[in-house]
Amino acid sequence: MEVQGTVAEGFEAVREAFVRNFEVLGDRGAAVAVYRDGRRVVDLWGGTKDADGAGVGAGGSGAWQAGTAQVVRSATKGVAAAVPLLLHQRGLLDLDAPVGAYWPEFKAGGKEHVRVRDLLSHRAGVPALDRGLTPAEAIDGVSGPRAVAAQAALWEPGTAHGYHAQTYSWLLSELVLRVTGASLGNWLAEQVTGPLGLDFWIGLPDDAADRVGRVAPVDPPERAGALKVRPRRNVSEAYADPHSLTRRAFAAIDPLPDENAPGYRAAELPASAGIGTARALAGFYAALIGDTQDGARLLTPETTALAGTELSSGPDRVLVVNTRFGPGHMLHGPASPLLSPASFGHPGRGGSLAFADPEAGIGFGYVTNGLAKSVTADPRAQALVRAVGASL
């Protein structure tokens, strides 16, 4: 496997793990980047731009290039989470206020006491809809917010948590729209990714479309190094049950949209449709905690501490394993091991992962076009995280 890019001295283990992902764990095209204390110490890519493409040598027309971007599924949630945190930091959003104070229609169906922090930490009680939205409705910017506002809570909000896999898009996007008057994707581009020069979009612009590879399912031949989580019922079994809350949560868009379709990629779905490079994800998380080469810092130390504060933990009513969430980010735990208990970020179903670790000064990003069956602890991403840990 011919891998392109560089690693700093001491981080050779990350290159070895990245190569092994292709040779053993079934990666077809992928990239990984790591910042430490503001310096990019890992910047690697390899394979084909399209998961369903023919094998090509490095530099060929079908090869993964330095600027190749991919759909990162729920790793989008971690980037989107910076928006409410920044609004809170600027005094524009009160995490203890009822969501209905900003979005009056949301108070229907027993949700009048849902706080902003409940919405961000998957405690709002609306992970599923009584009727799933069509792909066209999901991206029209109106049907989704209207549906979650009208939806009756499936448990008493604030008393339990369950991963809002799809509905998180409409919950968060409408909240940001009500507070700022701008769509979340536009606000992010104007306030964060644009000024920092990061190639990450929630709502892919036309001029970047050619840089994005096609994703496709893969079944790695070996799952060595995968996290062994053995709950009484795992998420795959729960998803296979058409009546389970797990299945209903992911079926809030029904049928599931084509992630390679231009319309889906252009949609502003902050739960699932973000597109970017590994370099951008790592740079984004480095900037969140202040570790960039020019010293730019998005979050104050107080807001950084808030990002890593546990708001939800224990049995997840949707993912059926123990999960931990802060105000938007997934935290280090059995379901999604990150670098250390200080880490916060988000995995994407199928493989992608990005996070920050303020104590180690790390910003990490991994993207892949080969979508495995994993929901959180993908073995390819975990191998890279362990290699980073060993390098430190």
Side-chain angles (χ1 to χ4, degrees):
M1 178 63 211
E2 190 170 2
V3 166
Q4 304 297 300
T6 60
V7 295
E9 183 178 356
F11 286 83
E12 294 85 359
V14 183
R15 178 191 286 274
E16 294 170 6
F18 188 63
V19 170
R20 186 175 180 274
N21 281 352
F22 286 92
E23 295 178 344
V24 179
L25 297 179
D27 243 338
R28 297 179 182 176
V32 61
V34 180
Y35 281 77
R36 188 183 192 195
D37 296 334
R39 184 170 67 99
R40 194 161 63 215
V41 294
V42 175
D43 188 18
L44 299 172
W45 62 92
T48 59
K49 176 182 176 183
D50 300 330
D52 51 6
V56 293
S61 60
W64 189 296
Q65 307 291 338
T68 296
Q70 296 289 353
V71 174
V72 299
R73 291 185 164 184
S74 285
T76 311
K77 290 183 175 78
V79 179
V83 177
L85 287 173
L86 286 167
L87 293 174
H88 171 72
Q89 182 173 285
R90 297 176 186 184
L92 300 174
L93 182 65
D94 182 354
L95 300 191
D96 290 315
V99 174
Y102 303 99
W103 179 7
E105 297 89 338
F106 185 76
K107 291 185 285 187
K111 304 191 300 299
E112 63 273 14
H113 299 304
V114 176
R115 299 170 299 170
V116 172
R117 66 173 62 241
D118 296 325
L119 183 154
L120 298 178
S121 58
H122 300 269
R123 304 179 73 83
V126 285
L129 300 175
D130 291 338
R131 180 187 72 83
L133 303 183
T134 67
E137 290 173 325
I139 66 175
D140 68 16
V142 177
S143 300
R146 184 180 297 156
V148 292
Q151 177 67 44
L154 302 181
W155 63 77
E156 182 181 348
T159 62
H161 76 286
Y163 186 51
H164 289 49
Q166 303 280 21
T167 58
Y168 203 79
S169 277
W170 311 307
L171 292 167
L172 187 55
S173 60
E174 188 68 13
L175 176 64
V176 170
L177 179 65
R178 297 294 177 115
V179 173
T180 68
S183 70
L184 188 149
N186 282 337
W187 198 94
L188 181 76
E190 292 175 2
Q191 301 287 325
V192 181
T193 56
L196 291 176
L198 301 176
D199 291 332
F200 190 93
W201 307 275
I202 300 177
L204 183 70
D206 290 341
D207 60 4
D210 290 343
R211 296 176 52 186
V212 185
R214 292 178 57 83
V215 295
V218 297
D219 188 14
E222 180 181 329
R223 299 186 69 80
L227 179 69
K228 304 300 183 184
V229 179
R230 299 187 181 278
R232 286 178 292 178
R233 189 185 196 197
N234 66 42
V235 67
S236 296
E237 293 169 341
Y239 185 79
D241 178 356
H243 304 294
S244 70
L245 186 56
T246 307
R247 182 66 168 269
R248 291 172 57 207
F250 283 96
I253 305 176
D254 187 28
L256 290 175
D258 178 2
E259 295 166 303
N260 294 315
Y264 180 80
R265 292 178 170 189
E268 294 190 27
L269 293 175
S272 60
I275 292 173
T277 65
R279 190 182 292 172
L281 284 170
F284 166 80
Y285 277 103
L288 280 192
I289 59 176
D291 290 312
T292 59
Q293 290 177 335
D294 60 4
R297 182 175 189 130
L298 288 174
L299 303 183
T300 64
E302 294 77 15
T303 309
T304 300
L306 175 62
T309 298
E310 179 184 281
L311 300 182
S312 296
S313 66
D316 188 302
R317 293 195 173 191
V318 172
L319 295 181
V320 300
V321 293
N322 289 340
T323 57
R324 299 178 65 237
F325 289 97
H329 294 98
M330 187 173 274
L331 307 181
H332 173 79
S336 185
L338 302 176
L339 189 62
S340 80
S343 302
F344 61 88
H346 217 287
R349 185 183 183 198
S352 297
L353 176 65
F355 65 87
D357 191 292
E359 291 185 357
I362 290 292
F364 174 96
Y366 164 71
V367 301
T368 176
N369 59 26
L371 303 179
K373 295 179 180 179
S374 58
V375 176
T376 54
D378 183 90
R380 297 163 297 174
Q382 289 302 305
L384 295 168
V385 173
R386 288 194 298 272
V388 170
S391 299
L392 299 179

